[in-house]
Amino acid sequence: MSTRLRDLPSVDRVLSEERIVRLIARYSRRAVTDLVRAEMAACREAIGIGGPVPALAEIAAAIERRASDRWKEWPGGVINATGVILHTNLGRAPLSRAALDAAERTSAGYNDLELDMETGKRGSRQAHLSRLVCEVTGAAAAMAVNNNASAMLVGLAAVAAGKEVIVSRGEAVEIGGGFRIPDVLGQSGATLVEVGTTNRTYTRDYANAITENTGAILSVHSSNFLVSGFTHSPDLQELVRLGAERNIPVMHDLGSGCLLDTADFGLAHEPMPQESMAAGVSLAFFSGDKLLGGPQAGIIIGNEALVSDVSSHPLARAVRIDKAGISALSATLMHYIKEEATSEIPVWRMISRTTSDIGSTADRWAESIGQGCNVVDGLSTIGGGSLPGEVINSRLVRLGSTGRTGGTDALAQRLRSGVNPVLGRIEDDSVLLDPRTVLPGQEDTLLKTVSHALNS
Ligand SMILES: *Cc1c(COP(=O)(O)O)cnc(C)c1O
């Protein structure tokens, strides 16, 4: 065995191999040397259990693979042809051009993030953004944090730590990715008091659960599941009235941050932050990167006293929003103020695209792809924990052939591999492509990937 190990080239020999020299030029000598050592150790191990001695070219190729795998730009872009507009696995909402530009300018240089330019003294990173949030939601006060989960965590900690929070049994749920309302409540230092039943909870159930230890009533929007049939949950206004009578703040986890009425787009009505404020909710929470269409963020709106309590809680510092997020969020909110959300914010542009417009894109793709594909009626979905079960009519390209090798799954896999991955969806043993979620400018790349996948 030791004689076979001696047939392996030395680390120095590998480092002087032409392809490895190119890798060193691209990355650094030290980083590549570490990869070479790791690969040589793997070779020795493989030889130790009886494997063949690899040639220098094979070793170099393996090192190139290690480098491109470990040091690739990540996350890598994908073309979303699934028709799911908000997909947590795909990074949720794509940003508008203005939001991207704002984030780039803020990140590239210095800025007055926490400097009051008039006095030259320390300023607030929240003040400007907070005014914009109030303007679009009608809230008296607002602040933004890292994401909605942390908004709830710091909100509950500031208002209800050491106290009881009353939640309907049907709303003490898991939102996704292991995020469970009871767990967040526990982490905030509050105690969960569940009332009602999974399908039916009445205002009187909350009223009966109020004690001198009650810190808040929490209403959670069921954004990722449907309770249908024999159900009842109290109207937000009823809860607010109860809260006012008993002097208990009512909190509302909205989930999505939907600032436009989805009913205007032929969808079920998604609760809106404006409605929550109009109903008199004390504190509401929502995400920046769901239907709001902005960057990852958690937004807290409500009455001045409570928002002030939240902003001065020590956890607020731990979950604060970064400068790129603040600028992208502010730019996104400006689209609502300028009433241009449906033309500028990608998720709203997708939602408002007509079926006939999508149909003509689908027809163009089908003609270009050929190979027996056709255009069929289908459905796009909102996804991302918004409007469960709600769909929008669309026109989809159904790939007729599955290519030279393998079936539907193999074709979907080939579409995902390569430099410009395309994600379709599989239904009835066909791969379907929905133009609704494909961004302007991605069409040519998508068609190239599809043609390559069908012909290999
Ligand atoms: C998505 C969602 C959350 C979590 O928001 P993040 O921004 O992902 O932290 C919390 N509550 C509801 C109802 C949601 O839909």
Side-chain angles (χ1 to χ4, degrees):
M1 185 185 83
S2 58
T3 54
R4 294 181 59 230
L5 276 181
R6 241 179 278 130
D7 295 339
L8 261 183
S10 68
V11 168
D12 281 343
R13 176 68 196 93
V14 177
L15 282 169
S16 62
E17 207 270 350
E18 197 186 328
R19 292 151 78 174
I20 303 301
V21 170
R22 276 202 297 273
L23 273 191
I24 291 170
R26 182 155 171 212
Y27 300 104
S28 78
R29 172 166 289 274
R30 194 166 94 187
V32 173
T33 306
D34 286 347
L35 282 196
V36 171
R37 292 221 167 89
E39 178 59 25
M40 301 309 281
C43 288
R44 278 193 294 273
E45 204 171 304
I47 294 167
I49 56 169
V53 177
L56 183 56
E58 281 174 76
I59 296 172
I63 292 164
E64 279 178 334
R65 279 195 301 275
R66 278 178 190 259
S68 63
D69 188 46
R70 191 180 299 187
W71 298 326
K72 69 185 170 197
E73 184 181 309
W74 192 85
V78 301
I79 295 177
N80 176 12
T82 62
V84 182
I85 294 172
L86 288 166
H87 203 306
T88 300
N89 298 160
L90 306 183
R92 292 197 184 157
L95 293 180
S96 73
R97 189 68 252 166
L100 284 170
D101 290 345
E104 184 184 331
R105 281 192 298 272
T106 303
S107 307
Y110 297 104
N111 49 63
D112 62 351
L113 182 67
E114 289 191 4
L115 184 72
D116 183 325
M117 297 302 276
E118 210 166 290
T119 60
K121 300 219 170 74
R122 180 162 185 186
S124 153
R125 78 166 52 209
Q126 295 284 349
H128 180 79
L129 176 60
S130 148
R131 275 190 295 273
L132 293 182
V133 175
C134 292
E135 195 173 336
V136 297
T137 61
M143 61 180 284
V145 294
N146 181 62
N147 62 353
N148 192 28
S150 56
M152 291 183 72
L153 179 67
V154 64
L156 286 162
V159 175
K163 298 195 187 143
E164 295 168 354
V165 174
I166 306 173
V167 182
S168 162
R169 195 156 269 126
E171 297 176 0
V173 296
E174 175 167 325
I175 307 287
F179 176 74
R180 292 183 166 170
I181 298 295
D183 297 342
V184 177
L185 255 157
Q187 289 297 322
S188 75
T191 311
L192 169 67
V193 175
E194 283 185 61
V195 295
T197 59
T198 310
N199 58 334
R200 292 175 84 89
T201 304
Y202 301 90
T203 306
R204 63 170 182 273
D205 295 320
Y206 293 85
N208 291 338
I210 294 174
T211 70
E212 73 246 27
N213 279 328
T214 304
I217 289 171
L218 172 65
S219 168
V220 181
H221 176 50
S222 59
S223 52
N224 61 351
F225 65 101
L226 285 170
V227 185
S228 58
F230 186 60
T231 63
H232 183 267
S233 49
D235 186 67
L236 203 54
Q237 235 139 7
E238 278 175 40
L239 287 183
V240 169
R241 210 172 304 129
L242 173 66
E245 269 166 33
R246 310 290 291 269
N247 201 22
I248 289 164
V250 173
M251 300 188 175
H252 188 198
D253 174 20
L254 283 149
S256 209
C258 180
L259 293 167
L260 299 183
D261 189 350
T262 46
D264 292 344
F265 302 87
L267 292 160
H269 177 71
E270 173 82 4
M272 300 159 77
Q274 301 93 306
E275 295 167 343
S276 201
M277 291 299 98
V281 162
S282 315
L283 218 49
F285 313 102
F286 52 93
S287 290
D289 56 356
K290 291 184 179 171
L291 282 174
L292 195 143
Q296 179 185 307
I299 297 161
I300 304 171
I301 54 176
N303 74 49
E304 277 176 73
L306 289 186
V307 172
S308 161
D309 288 348
V310 177
S311 66
S312 54
H313 190 278
L315 267 180
R317 175 65 172 78
V319 297
R320 81 176 178 190
I321 185 170
D322 76 306
K323 60 188 177 184
I326 287 177
S327 52
L329 187 55
S330 304
T332 306
L333 292 171
M334 283 310 300
H335 294 311
Y336 292 96
I337 290 170
K338 293 161 80 179
E339 299 197 322
E340 59 184 22
T342 54
S343 61
E344 298 303 316
I345 299 177
V347 296
W348 285 105
R349 210 164 44 214
M350 291 171 188
I351 291 170
S352 55
R353 241 181 111 179
T354 62
T355 317
S356 73
D357 179 31
I358 293 181
S360 46
T361 304
D363 291 340
R364 193 167 63 236
W365 291 4
E367 189 166 338
S368 157
I369 297 164
Q371 310 196 43
C373 75
N374 58 339
V375 177
V376 296
D377 284 333
L379 302 166
S380 315
T381 56
I382 305 291
S386 305
L387 294 170
E390 277 299 314
V391 291
I392 321 177
N393 287 327
S394 193
R395 297 277 289 165
L396 320 178
V397 175
R398 195 180 66 84
L399 299 182
S401 140
T402 56
R404 298 230 178 102
T405 51
T408 311
D409 288 333
L411 174 60
Q413 200 278 329
R414 285 199 300 281
L415 287 168
R416 282 196 309 274
S417 59
V419 277
N420 295 302
V422 169
L423 304 177
R425 93 173 174 248
I426 296 179
E427 257 170 46
D428 300 329
D429 205 33
S430 302
V431 176
L432 296 164
L433 305 174
D434 188 340
R436 188 183 296 277
T437 47
V438 175
L439 295 166
Q442 291 184 325
E443 178 166 322
D444 290 347
T445 313
L446 172 136
L447 293 173
K448 269 192 209 119
T449 300
V450 171
S451 146
H452 189 260
L454 285 175
N455 295 309
S456 61

